[in-house]
Amino acid sequence: MKVEVAYARPDVQVILALEVAEATTAEGAIRQSGILERFPEIDLAQNRIGIFSKACKLDQILRSGDRVEIYRPLIADPKEARRNRAAKSATSA
């Protein structure tokens, strides 16, 4: 079955299409794609993953057409960043 594995950094984004066997897990597809060799900063023990923006675990069984996405760690807490932007906006208004 056909699936995709996706990863993005600020400087580059890749989506790798590959054929995998039925009952392949998300981790299996990631490893088969070769993306771990291409991007050595990916650590499956640390990086979260998802299928079409919905978080999943490494042992998730894939379906034909799924896109496994590997997410980078957040560099800032989204709630805190939003508060900071709101505070900055309020003081400049």
Side-chain angles (χ1 to χ4, degrees), residues 12-91:
V12 65
Q13 300 85 36
V14 294
I15 298 176
L16 304 171
L18 62 148
E19 283 277 336
V20 296
E22 293 289 328
T24 295
T25 62
E27 181 178 10
I30 291 169
R31 294 192 183 284
Q32 288 177 40
S33 73
I35 205 162
L36 297 176
E37 290 75 27
R38 188 168 174 183
F39 297 98
E41 70 270 17
I42 297 172
D43 178 358
L44 293 181
Q46 299 293 319
N47 292 76
R48 292 178 172 250
I49 67 164
I51 297 174
F52 290 118
S53 300
K54 185 174 179 179
C56 73
K57 296 187 184 277
L58 290 169
D59 62 357
Q60 173 72 43
I61 301 294
L62 299 179
R63 294 183 300 200
S64 183
D66 279 349
R67 181 180 65 223
V68 179
E69 301 161 339
I70 303 167
Y71 307 122
R72 291 179 291 128
L74 296 176
I75 56 172
D77 176 26
K79 290 180 183 177
E80 187 62 33
R82 197 169 20 255
R83 275 191 217 106
N84 291 341
R85 282 193 306 274
K88 190 180 290 185
S89 170
T91 59

